[in-house]
Amino acid sequence: MSDQQVYTDFKDDMTYADYLSLDQLLSAQNRLSGHHDEMLFIVIHQVSELWMKLIIHEIQAACKSLINDQFEPAFKQLARVSKIQEQIIKAWDVLATMTPSEYIEFRDSLGKASGFQSYQYRLIEFSLGYKIPHILKIYQQDQEVYSVLEKAYQNKGLYDIAIDKLSQAGFSISEGLLNRDFSKPYEKSEEVKAAWSEVYKDSQKYWTLYQLAEKLVDLEDWHQQWRFRHMKTVERIIGFKKGTGGSSGVNYLKSVLDTYFFPELWELRTEL
């Protein structure tokens, strides 16, 4: 396209900035302290929230695809989630350029606000089956957010749907597991591990389920790297201080590193 063909008159047409609501987006970085590095802190967290919005969008789509036995679209959606997770991990590298001396200059401006309160992060955890009852209390003041979270809290997660697929493929999964209380954290099952083990032992026969299992492992692998990078960034900047939201900070972040969404898929690797 030559320069003469580039559109320049947008009096009656939508522009790039209009489409992306850039006026609203780029005016949302409101520093409370005026400190230079607070801009970095805000932007990194806003970017992460945008990526999380897309993660939720893709996981929800993948769940619907699996329910409808549309495995290939689900694989594409889950693969995209893993790529997004990679981007969020890289964001911690940028935030880690901020030193403790710089952060303490504006940390008090945050008050009790904390990334621990991110409802989108909780929605991701709920969709993957990690459900802790007291977490919901944080969001009771916002009924709209609370309703969204409570629905996800009560519903099947991605792994529950994957287990349904094992049952539908003929593997022996008890009714008690298939119709369990989905508001409770998933607990590993020997029958589920036995089913996945057969899938891995005869991957050609169960190729679709084998691919699904590997997509789930990819997703959890990246999520654990995300958790680890978050923990090390926090330790690098504030050490073992309590978080602004009242959490134990690094100690809490370390404790969840040992939490698995899909435990059987990791355990069977030792036994194959």
Side-chain angles (χ1 to χ4, degrees):
M1 179 184 289
S2 67
D3 289 345
Q4 287 77 18
Q5 293 176 300
V6 172
Y7 292 110
T8 58
D9 183 1
F10 288 93
K11 183 174 64 175
D12 299 315
D13 292 305
M14 178 179 65
T15 67
Y16 171 82
D18 294 333
Y19 176 68
L20 295 177
S21 301
L22 287 184
D23 284 348
Q24 181 180 358
L25 185 65
L26 298 179
S27 62
Q29 294 72 47
N30 301 308
R31 288 182 290 169
L32 299 180
S33 69
H35 190 276
H36 175 82
D37 283 352
E38 190 179 358
M39 180 65 76
L40 165 65
F41 189 83
I42 292 170
V43 167
I44 289 296
H45 286 83
Q46 288 182 340
V47 167
S48 295
E49 290 291 336
L50 285 172
W51 279 129
M52 283 191 276
K53 182 173 184 177
L54 188 53
I55 285 175
I56 293 163
H57 179 70
E58 297 297 340
I59 290 178
Q60 289 176 343
C63 287
K64 291 178 182 177
S65 294
L66 289 173
I67 289 170
N68 294 321
D69 291 326
Q70 297 173 338
F71 285 90
E72 291 303 324
F75 296 158
K76 173 66 179 293
Q77 288 146 357
L78 293 175
R80 182 174 291 163
V81 169
S82 293
K83 288 298 183 181
I84 299 165
Q85 291 170 306
E86 185 178 359
Q87 295 303 310
I88 297 182
I89 292 167
K90 292 295 184 182
W92 291 119
D93 293 340
V94 182
L95 187 60
T97 64
M98 184 170 61
T99 68
S101 299
E102 291 161 344
Y103 183 50
I104 61 174
E105 289 293 324
F106 66 87
R107 188 175 191 245
D108 288 345
S109 299
L110 274 62
K112 296 179 181 178
S114 166
F116 184 81
Q117 298 151 13
S118 169
Y119 71 84
Q120 290 200 122
Y121 184 80
R122 298 305 170 192
L123 194 55
I124 291 171
E125 287 190 328
F126 291 174
S127 69
L128 298 178
Y130 185 63
K131 300 175 180 180
I132 306 298
H134 69 271
I135 290 295
L136 276 175
K137 296 177 182 178
I138 297 173
Y139 310 98
Q140 288 178 331
Q141 81 284 355
D142 188 329
Q143 193 55 50
E144 184 176 352
V145 167
Y146 185 83
S147 296
V148 171
L149 285 170
E150 187 176 36
K151 182 179 179 181
Y153 190 83
Q154 299 292 338
N155 285 350
K156 289 183 179 182
L158 175 62
Y159 197 44
D160 297 304
I161 296 170
I163 292 171
D164 285 345
K165 297 296 116 178
L166 288 173
S167 176
Q168 291 164 18
F171 291 101
S172 179
I173 308 293
S174 67
E175 284 297 317
L177 185 56
L178 294 172
N179 298 303
R180 69 186 187 86
D181 182 352
F182 299 109
S183 69
K184 294 182 178 179
Y186 175 78
E187 295 182 3
K188 63 185 179 181
S189 161
E190 287 301 318
E191 56 190 312
V192 170
K193 184 164 70 171
W196 283 127
S197 181
E198 287 303 310
V199 168
Y200 274 79
K201 288 176 181 177
D202 196 346
S203 60
Q204 293 303 312
K205 180 179 179 180
Y206 300 111
W207 182 251
T208 300
L209 289 171
Y210 175 69
Q211 285 185 293
L212 174 58
E214 284 299 289
K215 288 292 184 290
L216 294 176
V217 170
D218 285 345
L219 191 155
E220 180 150 27
D221 189 348
W222 281 111
H223 196 87
Q224 287 291 71
Q225 292 184 56
W226 178 9
R227 282 172 162 173
F228 179 80
R229 198 68 193 96
H230 183 189
M231 181 271 292
K232 293 306 294 184
T233 302
V234 172
E235 182 179 2
R236 175 173 177 154
I237 296 174
I238 69 168
F240 285 82
K241 295 186 184 78
K242 287 184 67 174
T244 50
S247 74
S248 58
V250 169
N251 286 324
Y252 168 76
L253 295 172
K254 282 187 173 182
S255 71
V256 297
L257 287 175
D258 292 327
T259 302
Y260 285 89
F261 301 129
F262 321 128
E264 297 89 352
L265 291 174
W266 294 94
E267 286 190 1
L268 67 83
R269 282 162 156 72
T270 304
E271 301 172 14
L272 285 174

